[in-house]
Amino acid sequence: MAKSPPEPKTFMFADDGVVPNNPRLPFLFYRRVLSFAGIQDTEAMVEKTFRGNEWGHMWRNGIYPYVHYHSMIHEAMGIARWRAWVRFGGEKGKEIELAQGDVALLPAGTGHQCLWSSPDLMVIGAYPKTGRFDLCRGSKAEHKKAIKNIPDVPLPDTDPVYGKNGPLMRLWPAV
């Protein structure tokens, strides 16, 4: 289960003309917030954590090796097994090593791309109750539409790791 809420690392990424990123909500990164001591099924544990905090529509996989983003929904990614190097924020963003127990919270529009992963990487992705999934790969038409969509994406009701009292609720304030 999750430890007491740590302060996540926050990053703001600028629109680079291909990836819009989010102009008002920071990308949040929780380092090793999920403890798997004595847990055999780490994937199920991440899913249970997300589900218990009202995040759903989950998937199990790796992270695409090409730059992409979602313009109509926020995303949580929990690392259930192994590790990866991922660039967040597009070409001029930040490369972060993700390892077992880490959780990344991507506000709508945040670019992400796997640069390298261990062979058995397992990521659990989840989405809040509100919003609609889309996959954008950086065309000019997608970018123009995303700029309009991103400000209208509803804020989540809870933090996917810590619930209603989690840092997300303070760091992603309603505007």
Coordinates of all heavy atoms in Angstrom, one line a residue, residues 72-123:
M72 N -7.8 15.0 -24.1 CA -9.2 15.0 -23.5 C -9.3 14.3 -22.2 O -10.4 14.1 -21.7 CB -10.2 14.5 -24.5 CG -10.3 15.4 -25.8 SD -11.7 15.0 -26.9 CE -11.2 13.4 -27.5
I73 N -8.1 13.9 -21.7 CA -8.2 13.1 -20.4 C -6.8 13.2 -19.7 O -5.8 13.3 -20.4 CB -8.7 11.7 -20.6 CG1 -9.2 11.1 -19.3 CG2 -7.6 10.8 -21.3 CD1 -10.0 9.9 -19.5
H74 N -6.8 13.1 -18.4 CA -5.5 13.0 -17.6 C -5.2 11.5 -17.5 O -6.1 10.7 -17.7 CB -5.7 13.6 -16.2 CG -6.3 15.0 -16.3 ND1 -5.6 16.1 -16.8 CD2 -7.5 15.5 -15.8 CE1 -6.4 17.2 -16.7 NE2 -7.5 16.9 -16.1
E75 N -3.9 11.2 -17.2 CA -3.5 9.8 -17.1 C -2.6 9.6 -15.9 O -1.8 10.5 -15.6 CB -2.8 9.5 -18.4 CG -2.3 8.0 -18.5 CD -1.7 7.7 -19.8 OE1 -1.1 8.6 -20.5 OE2 -1.8 6.5 -20.2
A76 N -2.7 8.5 -15.3 CA -1.8 8.0 -14.2 C -1.1 6.8 -14.8 O -1.7 5.9 -15.4 CB -2.6 7.7 -12.9
M77 N 0.2 6.7 -14.5 CA 1.0 5.5 -14.9 C 1.7 5.0 -13.6 O 2.5 5.8 -13.1 CB 2.0 5.8 -16.0 CG 1.3 6.2 -17.3 SD 2.4 6.3 -18.7 CE 3.6 7.4 -18.2
G78 N 1.5 3.8 -13.2 CA 2.1 3.2 -12.1 C 3.1 2.1 -12.6 O 2.7 1.2 -13.4
I79 N 4.3 2.1 -12.1 CA 5.3 1.0 -12.6 C 5.1 -0.2 -11.6 O 5.5 -0.1 -10.5 CB 6.7 1.6 -12.6 CG1 6.8 2.9 -13.4 CG2 7.7 0.5 -13.1 CD1 6.3 2.8 -14.8
A80 N 4.6 -1.3 -12.2 CA 4.4 -2.5 -11.4 C 5.7 -3.4 -11.4 O 5.9 -4.1 -10.4 CB 3.2 -3.3 -11.9
R81 N 6.4 -3.3 -12.5 CA 7.6 -4.2 -12.6 C 8.7 -3.5 -13.5 O 8.4 -2.8 -14.4 CB 7.3 -5.5 -13.3 CG 6.7 -6.5 -12.4 CD 6.6 -7.9 -13.0 NE 5.5 -8.0 -13.9 CZ 5.6 -8.4 -15.2 NH1 6.7 -8.7 -15.7 NH2 4.5 -8.5 -15.9
W82 N 9.9 -3.6 -13.0 CA 11.1 -3.2 -13.7 C 11.2 -1.7 -13.9 O 10.8 -1.0 -13.0 CB 11.3 -4.0 -15.0 CG 11.4 -5.5 -14.7 CD1 10.4 -6.4 -14.8 CD2 12.4 -6.2 -14.0 NE1 10.8 -7.6 -14.4 CE2 12.0 -7.5 -13.9 CE3 13.7 -5.8 -13.6 CZ2 12.8 -8.5 -13.3 CZ3 14.5 -6.8 -13.0 CH2 14.1 -8.1 -12.9
R83 N 11.8 -1.3 -15.0 CA 12.1 0.2 -15.2 C 12.1 0.6 -16.6 O 12.2 -0.2 -17.5 CB 13.3 0.6 -14.4 CG 14.6 -0.1 -14.9 CD 15.7 0.1 -13.9 NE 16.9 -0.5 -14.4 CZ 17.9 0.2 -15.0 NH1 17.9 1.5 -15.1 NH2 19.0 -0.5 -15.4
A84 N 12.1 1.9 -16.8 CA 12.2 2.5 -18.1 C 12.7 3.9 -18.1 O 12.6 4.6 -17.0 CB 10.8 2.5 -18.8
W85 N 13.2 4.4 -19.2 CA 13.6 5.8 -19.3 C 12.5 6.4 -20.2 O 12.3 5.9 -21.3 CB 14.9 6.0 -20.0 CG 16.0 5.9 -19.0 CD1 16.8 4.8 -18.7 CD2 16.5 7.0 -18.1 NE1 17.7 5.1 -17.8 CE2 17.6 6.4 -17.4 CE3 16.2 8.3 -17.9 CZ2 18.3 7.2 -16.4 CZ3 16.8 9.0 -17.0 CH2 17.9 8.5 -16.2
V86 N 11.8 7.5 -19.7 CA 10.7 8.1 -20.5 C 10.9 9.6 -20.6 O 11.3 10.2 -19.6 CB 9.4 7.8 -19.8 CG1 8.2 8.4 -20.5 CG2 9.1 6.3 -19.6
R87 N 10.7 10.1 -21.8 CA 10.8 11.5 -21.9 C 9.3 12.1 -21.8 O 8.4 11.6 -22.5 CB 11.3 11.9 -23.3 CG 11.4 13.5 -23.4 CD 11.9 14.0 -24.7 NE 13.2 13.4 -25.1 CZ 13.5 12.8 -26.2 NH1 12.5 12.7 -27.1 NH2 14.7 12.4 -26.5
F88 N 9.1 13.0 -20.9 CA 7.8 13.6 -20.7 C 8.0 15.1 -21.2 O 9.0 15.7 -21.0 CB 7.4 13.6 -19.2 CG 7.2 12.3 -18.7 CD1 8.2 11.6 -18.0 CD2 6.0 11.6 -18.9 CE1 7.9 10.3 -17.4 CE2 5.7 10.4 -18.4 CZ 6.7 9.7 -17.7
G89 N 6.9 15.6 -21.8 CA 6.9 17.0 -22.2 C 7.3 17.2 -23.6 O 7.5 18.4 -24.0
G90 N 7.6 16.2 -24.4 CA 8.0 16.4 -25.8 C 9.5 16.5 -26.0 O 10.3 16.3 -25.0
E91 N 9.9 16.9 -27.1 CA 11.3 17.0 -27.5 C 12.2 17.8 -26.5 O 13.3 17.5 -26.3 CB 11.5 17.5 -28.9 CG 12.7 17.2 -29.6 CD 13.0 15.7 -29.8 OE1 12.0 14.9 -30.1 OE2 14.2 15.3 -29.6
K92 N 11.6 18.9 -26.0 CA 12.3 19.7 -25.0 C 11.9 19.5 -23.6 O 12.2 20.3 -22.7 CB 12.1 21.2 -25.4 CG 12.7 21.6 -26.8 CD 12.4 23.0 -27.1 CE 12.9 23.3 -28.5 NZ 12.6 24.6 -28.9
G93 N 11.4 18.3 -23.3 CA 10.9 18.0 -22.0 C 12.0 17.5 -21.1 O 13.1 17.9 -21.2
K94 N 11.6 16.5 -20.2 CA 12.5 16.0 -19.2 C 12.5 14.4 -19.3 O 11.5 13.8 -19.4 CB 12.0 16.4 -17.8 CG 12.8 15.8 -16.7 CD 13.5 16.8 -15.9 CE 14.2 16.3 -14.7 NZ 15.6 16.4 -14.8
E95 N 13.7 13.9 -19.3 CA 13.9 12.4 -19.3 C 13.9 12.0 -17.8 O 14.7 12.5 -17.1 CB 15.1 12.0 -20.0 CG 15.1 12.3 -21.5 CD 16.4 11.9 -22.2 OE1 17.2 11.1 -21.7 OE2 16.5 12.3 -23.4
I96 N 13.1 11.0 -17.5 CA 13.0 10.5 -16.1 C 13.1 9.0 -16.1 O 12.4 8.3 -16.9 CB 11.7 10.9 -15.5 CG1 11.6 12.5 -15.4 CG2 11.5 10.3 -14.1 CD1 10.3 13.0 -14.9
E97 N 13.9 8.5 -15.2 CA 13.9 7.0 -15.1 C 12.8 6.6 -14.2 O 12.6 7.1 -13.0 CB 15.3 6.6 -14.4 CG 15.3 5.1 -14.3 CD 16.6 4.6 -13.6 OE1 17.2 5.3 -12.9 OE2 16.9 3.4 -13.7
L98 N 11.9 5.7 -14.7 CA 10.8 5.2 -13.9 C 11.2 3.8 -13.4 O 11.8 3.0 -14.2 CB 9.5 5.1 -14.7 CG 9.0 6.4 -15.4 CD1 7.8 6.1 -16.2 CD2 8.7 7.4 -14.3
A99 N 10.9 3.5 -12.1 CA 11.2 2.2 -11.6 C 10.0 1.7 -10.8 O 9.1 2.4 -10.5 CB 12.4 2.3 -10.7
Q100 N 10.1 0.4 -10.4 CA 9.0 -0.2 -9.7 C 8.6 0.6 -8.5 O 9.4 1.1 -7.7 CB 9.4 -1.6 -9.2 CG 8.3 -2.4 -8.6 CD 8.7 -3.8 -8.2 OE1 9.8 -4.0 -7.7 NE2 7.8 -4.7 -8.5
G101 N 7.3 0.9 -8.4 CA 6.7 1.7 -7.3 C 6.5 3.1 -7.6 O 5.9 3.9 -6.8
D102 N 7.0 3.6 -8.7 CA 6.9 5.0 -9.1 C 5.5 5.2 -9.7 O 4.9 4.3 -10.4 CB 7.9 5.4 -10.2 CG 9.3 5.5 -9.6 OD1 9.5 5.4 -8.4 OD2 10.2 5.6 -10.4
V103 N 4.9 6.4 -9.6 CA 3.7 6.8 -10.3 C 3.9 8.2 -10.9 O 4.4 9.1 -10.2 CB 2.5 6.9 -9.3 CG1 1.3 7.4 -9.9 CG2 2.2 5.5 -8.7
A104 N 3.5 8.3 -12.1 CA 3.5 9.6 -12.9 C 2.1 10.0 -13.1 O 1.3 9.2 -13.5 CB 4.3 9.4 -14.2
L105 N 1.8 11.3 -12.9 CA 0.5 11.8 -13.2 C 0.6 12.9 -14.3 O 1.3 13.9 -14.1 CB -0.1 12.5 -12.0 CG -0.3 11.5 -10.8 CD1 -0.8 12.3 -9.6 CD2 -1.3 10.5 -11.1
L106 N 0.0 12.6 -15.4 CA 0.1 13.4 -16.6 C -1.1 14.2 -16.8 O -2.2 13.6 -17.1 CB 0.4 12.6 -17.9 CG 1.7 11.8 -18.0 CD1 1.8 10.7 -17.0 CD2 1.9 11.3 -19.4
P107 N -1.1 15.5 -16.7 CA -2.3 16.3 -17.1 C -2.5 16.2 -18.6 O -1.5 16.0 -19.3 CB -1.9 17.7 -16.6 CG -0.4 17.8 -16.6 CD 0.0 16.4 -16.3
A108 N -3.7 16.4 -19.0 CA -4.0 16.3 -20.4 C -3.1 17.2 -21.2 O -2.8 18.3 -20.8 CB -5.5 16.8 -20.6
G109 N -2.6 16.6 -22.3 CA -1.7 17.3 -23.2 C -0.2 17.0 -23.0 O 0.6 17.4 -23.8
T110 N 0.1 16.3 -21.9 CA 1.5 16.0 -21.6 C 2.1 15.0 -22.5 O 1.6 13.8 -22.5 CB 1.7 15.6 -20.2 OG1 1.2 16.6 -19.3 CG2 3.1 15.4 -19.8
G111 N 3.1 15.3 -23.3 CA 3.7 14.3 -24.2 C 4.5 13.3 -23.4 O 5.0 13.6 -22.3
H112 N 4.5 12.1 -23.9 CA 5.3 11.0 -23.3 C 5.8 10.1 -24.3 O 5.1 9.8 -25.3 CB 4.6 10.3 -22.1 CG 3.2 10.0 -22.3 ND1 2.2 10.9 -22.6 CD2 2.6 8.8 -22.3 CE1 1.0 10.3 -22.7 NE2 1.2 9.0 -22.6
Q113 N 7.0 9.5 -24.1 CA 7.6 8.6 -25.1 C 8.7 7.7 -24.3 O 9.5 8.3 -23.6 CB 8.4 9.4 -26.1 CG 9.2 8.6 -27.1 CD 10.0 9.4 -28.0 OE1 10.2 10.6 -27.8 NE2 10.5 8.8 -29.1
C114 N 8.6 6.4 -24.5 CA 9.5 5.5 -23.9 C 10.8 5.5 -24.7 O 10.8 5.3 -26.0 CB 9.0 4.1 -23.8 SG 10.1 3.0 -22.9
L115 N 11.9 5.8 -24.1 CA 13.2 5.9 -24.8 C 13.9 4.5 -24.6 O 14.7 4.1 -25.5 CB 14.1 7.0 -24.2 CG 13.5 8.4 -24.3 CD1 14.4 9.4 -23.6 CD2 13.2 8.8 -25.8
W116 N 13.7 3.9 -23.5 CA 14.3 2.6 -23.2 C 13.5 1.9 -22.1 O 13.0 2.6 -21.2 CB 15.7 2.7 -22.7 CG 16.3 1.4 -22.3 CD1 17.0 0.5 -23.1 CD2 16.3 0.8 -21.0 NE1 17.3 -0.6 -22.3 CE2 16.9 -0.4 -21.0 CE3 15.8 1.3 -19.8 CZ2 17.1 -1.2 -19.9 CZ3 15.9 0.4 -18.7 CH2 16.6 -0.8 -18.8
S117 N 13.4 0.6 -22.2 CA 12.7 -0.1 -21.1 C 13.4 -1.5 -20.9 O 13.9 -2.1 -21.9 CB 11.2 -0.3 -21.3 OG 11.0 -1.2 -22.3
S118 N 13.3 -2.0 -19.7 CA 13.8 -3.4 -19.4 C 12.8 -4.3 -20.1 O 11.6 -3.9 -20.3 CB 13.9 -3.6 -17.9 OG 12.7 -3.3 -17.3
P119 N 13.2 -5.5 -20.5 CA 12.3 -6.4 -21.2 C 11.0 -6.7 -20.5 O 10.0 -6.9 -21.2 CB 13.2 -7.7 -21.4 CG 14.6 -7.2 -21.2 CD 14.5 -6.1 -20.3
D120 N 11.0 -6.8 -19.2 CA 9.7 -7.2 -18.5 C 9.0 -6.0 -17.9 O 8.2 -6.2 -16.9 CB 10.1 -8.2 -17.4 CG 10.5 -9.5 -18.0 OD1 10.1 -9.8 -19.2 OD2 11.3 -10.2 -17.4
L121 N 9.2 -4.8 -18.4 CA 8.5 -3.6 -17.9 C 7.0 -3.9 -17.9 O 6.5 -4.4 -18.9 CB 8.8 -2.4 -18.8 CG 8.0 -1.1 -18.4 CD1 8.5 -0.6 -17.1 CD2 8.1 -0.1 -19.5
M122 N 6.4 -3.5 -16.8 CA 4.9 -3.6 -16.8 C 4.4 -2.3 -16.1 O 4.7 -2.0 -15.0 CB 4.4 -4.8 -15.9 CG 2.9 -4.9 -15.9 SD 2.0 -4.9 -17.5 CE 2.6 -6.4 -18.2
V123 N 3.6 -1.5 -16.9 CA 3.0 -0.3 -16.5 C 1.5 -0.5 -16.4 O 0.9 -1.2 -17.2 CB 3.3 0.8 -17.5 CG1 2.7 2.2 -17.1 CG2 4.8 1.0 -17.7

